[in-house]
């Protein structure tokens, strides 16, 4: 089977397996569990981050549905998700944490056990996806519904988007736990999501005539942008994950979450010059290149002697969570390996839209590592669109993206299912089975590969 054929086949599997985790039996409608696994580990909860990322994939399914029945089904999920959001936004205060509460039971109650909280990326990602949904509805002429269910400046307390935006606008500069639920500090990923949510919110506010909010959100987004520029570490030649961290054990700060923060395109209409860290930013390219090197030498399954294509990617090199316990050794994750492919596909789309590629001392290692048949690059090179080299680089970027998909294909279960992790020595799937976010990453990555857009 060619890679293409396999990707099509797996796309259908991923859709089915993802949807099984939406409103599962016994849950409130609209709850999306992180995995169906109820013990070792117990992931039968709705994490706001995970479910909001999955909603992004469901929006894609809705828009690309081939028949009315499928479209109706997907729409129902989106409406249920809005209902569930109303419930958890109401109950979130029970722990005294408010919208920073990361994890809810499938009945819509905040998890009461000890946990790493608050985590402020969840509300931001949810706002981004609800705003995307609002724009889709507006394009369909359903403004009344948007005002009634999603965004009404006269009733901020019962508008899910406004509640999330007002929360993240208030807390963006405060430290919190990271998306991996381990480190306290100021996070590149979390702040990037908050900035994007506020920019998107500003655009929606303009479209709905909520003039006071337009500038307020935009100004805050600007302040966050200034703070994000400080995450570059020149010695490591990478953007690091956390500033002012409180680590239990020392860390390099190298972390795949930085790449995740750049994925998934931009807020509607966002002019190119305001894009802060586009995927082809030299610091992002440098970070991707450092991360690949680190993971390539960290996991035994990445040993070139084994002859498996691509590089299996994990969360961060010092990871000790093996999917069951936290005092072990971390593994690569299928969803993160897929997301690295996504990064390359997004990158190819971006480069195609540029008039030139500039090689700098910072991004040189990235371009040098591309499989581009003897193509040589040097700092200072300017490769113009139209030059055969320009095309060769973009082709190499796409091919490299494919190697990450080949890698996942190699280790995936024969029935096309994936777990949270894959064993660093054997490649076998381990940890929570059918991780919802992994399937979402797959669906979003396929879309980035097939319909490159920026
Ligand atoms: C589960 C978390 O989600 C994971 O990120 C973490 O490593 C372990 N618990 C330990 O806190
Ligand atoms: C552990 C991951 O680190 C975290 O990001 C995720 O939200 C939970 N597992 C649930 O999937």
């Amino acid at each position: 089977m060619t890679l293409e054929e396999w990707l099509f086949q797996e796309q259908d599997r991923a859709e089915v397996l993802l949807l099984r985790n939406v409103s599962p039996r016994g849950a409130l409608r609209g709850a999306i569990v992180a995995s169906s696994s109820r013990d070792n580990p117990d992931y039968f909860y709705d994490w706001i981050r995970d479910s909001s990322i999955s909603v992004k994939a469901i929006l894609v399914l809705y828009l690309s549905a081939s028949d009315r029945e499928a479209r109706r089904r997907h729409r129902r999920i989106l409406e249920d998700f809005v209902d569930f959001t109303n419930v958890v936004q109401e109950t979130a205060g029970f722990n005294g944490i408010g919208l920073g509460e990361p994890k809810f039971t499938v009945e819509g109650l905040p998890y009461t056990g000890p946990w790493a909280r608050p985590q402020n990326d969840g509300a931001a990602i949810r706002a981004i996806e609800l705003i995307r949904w609002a724009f889709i509805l507006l394009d369909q002429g359903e403004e009344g519904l948007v005002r009634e269910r999603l965004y009404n400046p006269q009733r901020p307390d019962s508008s899910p988007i406004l509640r999330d935006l007002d929360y993240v606008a208030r807390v963006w500069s405060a430290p919190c736990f990271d998306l991996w639920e381990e480190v306290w500090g100021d996070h590149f990923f979390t702040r990037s999501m908050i900035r994007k949510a506020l920019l998107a919110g500003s655009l929606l506010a303009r479209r709905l005539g909520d003039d006071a909010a337009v500038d307020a959100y935009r100004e805050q987004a600007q302040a966050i942008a200034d703070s994000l520029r400080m995450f570059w570490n020149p010695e490591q030649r990478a953007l690091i994950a956390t500033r002012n961290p409180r680590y239990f054990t020392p860390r390099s700060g190298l972390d795949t979450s930085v790449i995740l923060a750049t994925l998934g395109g931009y807020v509607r209409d966002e002019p190119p010059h305001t894009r802060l860290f586009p995927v082809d930013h030299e610091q992002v390219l440098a970070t991707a290149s450092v991360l690949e090197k680190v993971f390539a030498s960290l996991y035994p399954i990445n040993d070139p002697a084994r002859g498996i294509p691509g590089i299996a990617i994990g969360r961060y090199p010092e990871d000790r969570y093996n999917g069951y316990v936290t005092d072990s050794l971390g593994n690569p994750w299928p969803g993160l390996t897929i997301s690295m492919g996504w990064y390359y596909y997004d990158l190819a789309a971006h480069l195609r839209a540029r008039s030139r590629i500039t090689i700098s001392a910072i991004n040189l290692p990235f371009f040098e590592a591309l499989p581009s048949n003897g193509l040589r690059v040097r700092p200072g090179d300017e490769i113009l669109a139209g030059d055969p080299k320009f095309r060769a680089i973009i082709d190499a970027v796409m091919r490299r993206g494919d190697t990450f998909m080949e890698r996942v294909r190699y280790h995936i279960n024969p029935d096309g299912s994936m777990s949270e992790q894959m064993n660093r020595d054997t490649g076998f799937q381990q940890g929570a089975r059918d991780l919802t976010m992994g399937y979402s990453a797959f669906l979003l990555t396929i879309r980035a590969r097939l319909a490159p857009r920026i």
Side-chain angles (χ1 to χ4, degrees):
M1 209 190 285
T2 64
L3 176 66
E4 242 99 35
E5 286 164 344
W6 178 75
L7 292 173
F8 272 119
Q9 176 186 304
E10 183 58 23
Q11 190 173 11
D12 291 342
R13 288 299 291 148
E15 177 175 339
V16 169
L17 295 166
L18 165 68
L19 295 178
R20 268 190 206 162
N21 291 346
V22 176
S23 310
R25 196 192 308 272
L28 213 57
R29 292 204 67 87
I32 304 177
V33 291
S35 151
S36 55
S37 174
R38 289 171 191 252
D39 57 62
N40 194 34
D42 185 1
Y43 271 35
F44 202 72
Y45 289 93
D46 184 301
W47 269 264
I48 303 306
R49 165 182 44 259
D50 297 47
S51 48
S52 303
I53 290 170
S54 300
V55 161
K56 185 182 174 97
I58 292 164
L59 285 167
V60 168
L61 294 176
Y62 172 77
L63 288 173
S64 58
S66 51
D67 58 87
R68 287 191 30 204
E69 172 51 25
R71 207 170 158 88
R72 201 193 51 76
R73 261 197 337 266
H74 297 316
R75 178 162 180 146
R76 171 82 200 268
I77 296 175
L78 296 164
E79 287 170 356
D80 289 342
F81 177 74
V82 174
D83 289 342
F84 187 77
T85 296
N86 274 302
V87 173
V88 299
Q89 285 182 335
E90 291 292 336
T91 66
F94 293 1
N95 286 351
I97 290 293
L99 300 189
E101 176 61 45
K103 172 174 164 183
F104 291 79
T105 69
V106 296
E107 293 87 35
L109 293 170
Y111 179 68
T112 50
W115 208 251
R117 51 169 83 89
Q119 296 173 24
N120 293 335
D121 58 315
I125 302 173
R126 182 168 60 199
I128 293 167
E129 300 315 323
L130 288 174
I131 291 168
R132 218 186 286 282
W133 176 226
F135 272 117
I136 293 172
L137 289 171
L138 288 170
D139 290 350
Q140 292 175 178
E142 299 184 70
E143 182 172 332
L145 191 65
V146 171
R147 290 187 185 273
E148 187 193 318
R149 307 286 295 134
L150 294 168
Y151 188 114
N152 184 339
Q154 270 80 54
R155 285 191 291 109
D157 293 342
S158 55
S159 296
I161 293 176
L162 280 165
R163 287 209 268 212
D164 280 341
L165 289 178
D166 290 345
Y167 174 74
V168 295
R170 197 151 38 78
V171 299
W172 75 263
S173 64
C176 67
F177 279 97
D178 70 329
L179 80 164
W180 308 135
E181 316 191 289
E182 296 171 334
V183 175
W184 178 260
D186 305 328
H187 314 289
F188 187 85
F189 179 84
T190 305
R191 288 199 179 175
S192 299
M193 294 302 110
I194 295 179
R195 172 179 175 270
K196 189 163 162 175
L198 292 170
L199 279 178
S202 165
L203 293 171
L204 182 63
R206 174 174 307 144
R207 178 91 172 247
L208 293 172
D210 182 10
D211 297 338
V214 175
D215 292 335
Y217 290 151
R218 189 160 279 280
E219 277 158 26
Q220 289 221 320
Q222 191 52 55
I224 301 174
D226 294 340
S227 91
L228 284 168
R229 290 195 188 88
M230 294 157 70
F231 284 72
W232 174 248
N233 182 320
E235 280 86 57
Q236 287 171 292
R237 301 213 156 204
L239 289 156
I240 49 145
T242 304
R243 300 187 75 234
N244 310 312
R246 228 198 276 152
Y247 296 139
F248 296 105
T249 48
R251 286 205 195 176
S252 58
L254 300 175
D255 194 306
T256 304
S257 64
V258 170
I259 298 299
L260 300 183
T262 69
L263 295 178
Y266 297 91
V267 181
R268 239 182 219 240
D269 304 335
E270 188 183 348
H273 65 271
T274 71
R275 292 177 184 171
L276 184 59
F277 284 108
V279 283
D280 60 354
H281 189 288
E282 61 174 2
Q283 294 178 352
V284 178
L285 292 164
T287 307
S289 147
V290 170
L291 283 168
E292 283 180 25
K293 283 194 190 102
V294 165
F295 290 122
S297 60
L298 181 68
Y299 303 129
I301 51 168
N302 283 336
D303 182 345
R306 301 214 188 174
I308 315 170
I311 302 168
I313 302 289
R315 298 194 294 183
Y316 54 92
E318 303 82 4
D319 200 351
R320 318 272 300 170
Y321 177 53
N322 70 353
Y324 311 107
V325 294
T326 53
D327 53 359
S328 176
L329 281 176
N331 295 295
W333 290 28
L336 296 177
T337 307
I338 290 167
S339 299
M340 196 56 101
W342 181 0
Y343 173 71
Y344 277 84
Y345 299 142
D346 262 7
L347 177 63
H350 266 72
L351 294 178
R352 260 184 223 116
R354 299 273 189 212
S355 54
R356 73 188 63 207
I357 297 170
T358 307
I359 310 296
S360 68
I362 306 269
N363 68 26
L364 180 69
F366 179 90
F367 286 105
E368 277 181 338
L370 283 179
S372 48
N373 305 332
L375 182 93
R376 304 204 66 81
V377 286
R378 277 190 313 260
D381 282 358
E382 293 258 313
I383 303 151
L384 301 180
D387 181 334
K389 268 186 166 184
F390 188 87
R391 200 33 222 284
I393 289 178
I394 292 171
D395 288 348
V397 168
M398 286 299 289
R399 276 205 304 280
R400 180 106 173 167
D402 283 349
T403 66
F404 293 95
M405 306 311 274
E406 288 283 15
R407 166 59 73 145
V408 169
R409 177 186 184 187
Y410 188 91
H411 297 299
I412 203 167
N413 288 326
D415 67 355
S417 65
M418 300 181 266
S419 303
E420 182 186 72
Q421 312 193 4
M422 41 201 193
N423 188 276
R424 48 158 56 212
D425 298 307
T426 65
F428 279 95
Q429 303 290 311
Q430 75 177 56
R433 66 170 173 264
D434 291 320
L435 191 80
T436 313
M437 271 200 295
Y439 296 129
S440 312
F442 188 88
L443 294 172
L444 294 164
T445 299
I446 290 306
R447 172 165 164 276
R449 183 179 189 272
L450 295 180
R453 73 180 68 193
I454 51 172

